[in-house]
Amino acid sequence: MLGTLRVPGYEDVLAAADRIAPYVRRTALLRSPKLDDLAGAPVWLKLENLQITGSFKARGAFNALLKLDPAQRSRGVVAYSTGNHGQAVAWAARTLGIPATIVMPVDAPANKVEKARRHGAEVVQYDRTRESRETIGMRLLEQTGATLVPPGDHPDVLAAQGTLALEALRDLPPAALENLGLFATPCGGGGMAAGCALALQALAPHARLVAAEPAGYDDTVRSLVAGKRVPNTPGARTLCDALMAAIPAELPYAINGRRLDAAVAVTDEEVETAIRFALDELRLVVEPGGAVALAALLAGHISTQGRDSVIVLSGGNIDLPLLTRIAGEGH
């Protein structure tokens, strides 16, 4: 236990996989000869950018909502999110007939706000420089009796994020699994990395787990060095809107602080290079936050060390004007 929070284990990842299977996609692994050549070894891309709602967040959202009892479902749910978790909770709530309110910053990408509303959720927006999303969320809970579904500090959300690693490891050819040296994920609050750590410990304990973050929001990088959770400097800017956590979430860091082998930071320019690479070479649309692990590999911040690697592309919800600009600047 971590305070009042239960720290999930591998058995929770397995249970989540069975629970959410009817609702989410089993996303593919993709190889690219060009990427293999650049990396010097086989690279397997886990395509969560093609997940329902456009990101891995659908996994945790469905698992948490499916575990609510009928009385909790009737009172609804509240989630706070920079975008992808909110969309995922809105979609899961609509699918399961549960009222949902999503607390989102005013500077969240317009496409993510609009999609949350399109999925039937009420969206409450706030100024992240002056207001606390947690305070707003707690006020809404008091008013409605709803259940909070946070993006990181929730054992059922965290366990289900690990199902993407479970799928990837099960889908690798046996020789590749045996030779797996690296599993790299994007990292904001740390829930995906922590969930993946549970699957890796059980199925590929020999592989290194590395988290990639945007420069300016490299709180996990600095927290691992300090040996405790360290916040980001307020007011930092990054293209990676999905990864703008103020501090590593408490429950994920209880796992990541022990299980992560490393964390690295990438610049916005390196992220843009990765987005263009995905578009030009892979014909894939990846959002900035979803591209940071690929960016870290392409920029040389992480190495395959000559062994097979899994790189997670965690989301594809990029604003079209931003995608157009990044694609155009590559030519």
Side-chain angles (χ1 to χ4, degrees):
M1 295 291 291
L2 180 71
T4 59
L5 293 174
R6 179 180 59 85
V7 179
Y10 178 58
E11 68 281 359
D12 297 295
V13 178
L14 294 175
D18 289 340
R19 194 176 294 115
I20 68 177
Y23 301 97
V24 303
R25 291 177 182 150
R26 187 185 186 102
T27 56
L29 290 174
L30 178 70
R31 287 272 300 281
S32 156
K34 176 72 175 289
L35 187 56
D36 287 356
D37 287 345
L38 290 171
V43 177
W44 305 82
L45 297 169
K46 178 61 170 169
L47 305 186
E48 286 295 291
N49 58 311
L50 302 182
Q51 184 54 264
I52 297 291
T53 75
S55 88
F56 77 100
K57 294 285 192 177
R59 297 173 181 273
F62 267 107
N63 194 45
L65 268 60
L66 285 165
K67 292 195 71 176
L68 298 177
D69 63 37
Q72 290 172 314
R73 290 189 181 200
S74 69
R75 292 192 296 269
V77 293
V78 171
Y80 42 78
S81 168
T82 53
N84 284 334
H85 178 65
Q87 282 186 75
V89 170
W91 173 257
R94 178 184 179 183
T95 303
L96 300 174
I98 299 171
T101 301
I102 313 299
V103 181
M104 302 177 76
V106 293
D107 58 346
N111 66 323
K112 295 183 178 181
V113 176
E114 191 273 331
K115 285 178 181 176
R117 287 186 172 128
R118 193 192 308 163
H119 294 326
E122 178 184 353
V123 175
V124 175
Q125 294 193 272
Y126 70 100
D127 182 342
R128 71 169 102 208
T129 64
R130 296 186 297 104
E131 298 176 284
S132 162
R133 67 184 189 178
E134 288 81 3
T135 300
I136 295 169
M138 293 309 296
R139 185 173 69 244
L140 291 168
L141 296 181
E142 292 171 2
Q143 292 171 352
T144 64
T147 298
L148 179 67
V149 184
D153 281 324
H154 193 302
D156 297 323
V157 172
L158 189 156
Q161 314 304 31
T163 63
L164 74 89
L166 181 69
E167 289 177 5
L169 297 173
R170 286 175 168 176
D171 289 347
L172 283 173
L177 179 60
E178 185 177 337
N179 190 51
L180 188 67
L182 170 70
F183 195 106
T185 76
C187 184
M192 173 170 46
C196 289
L198 301 177
L200 279 167
Q201 185 180 34
L203 301 179
H206 52 281
R208 290 175 297 130
L209 176 61
V210 178
E213 298 181 296
Y217 283 87
D218 56 345
D219 45 315
T220 296
V221 173
R222 291 178 291 106
S223 296
L224 292 179
V225 172
K228 62 180 181 180
R229 295 190 302 145
V230 177
N232 288 307
T233 303
R237 305 302 303 170
T238 176
L239 274 182
C240 303
D241 60 275
L243 305 182
M244 294 171 69
I247 189 171
E250 187 176 9
L251 179 59
Y253 190 74
I255 296 171
N256 290 335
R258 294 180 289 111
R259 303 276 175 78
L260 273 177
D261 292 284
V264 299
V266 295
T267 66
D268 280 355
E269 291 75 20
E270 289 165 341
V271 169
E272 291 188 15
T273 296
I275 291 171
R276 281 193 295 270
F277 181 90
L279 199 58
D280 289 344
E281 297 293 336
L282 311 173
R283 295 298 181 256
L284 291 173
V285 173
V286 185
E287 68 181 278
V292 291
L294 176 61
L297 181 67
L298 291 173
H301 298 306
I302 53 177
S303 168
T304 65
Q305 299 179 355
R307 299 172 66 183
D308 286 74
S309 299
V310 172
I311 304 292
V312 180
L313 302 180
S314 60
N317 294 315
I318 186 170
D319 262 339
L320 284 178
L322 176 60
L323 179 62
T324 301
R325 178 185 68 74
I326 292 173
E329 290 178 359
H331 301 285

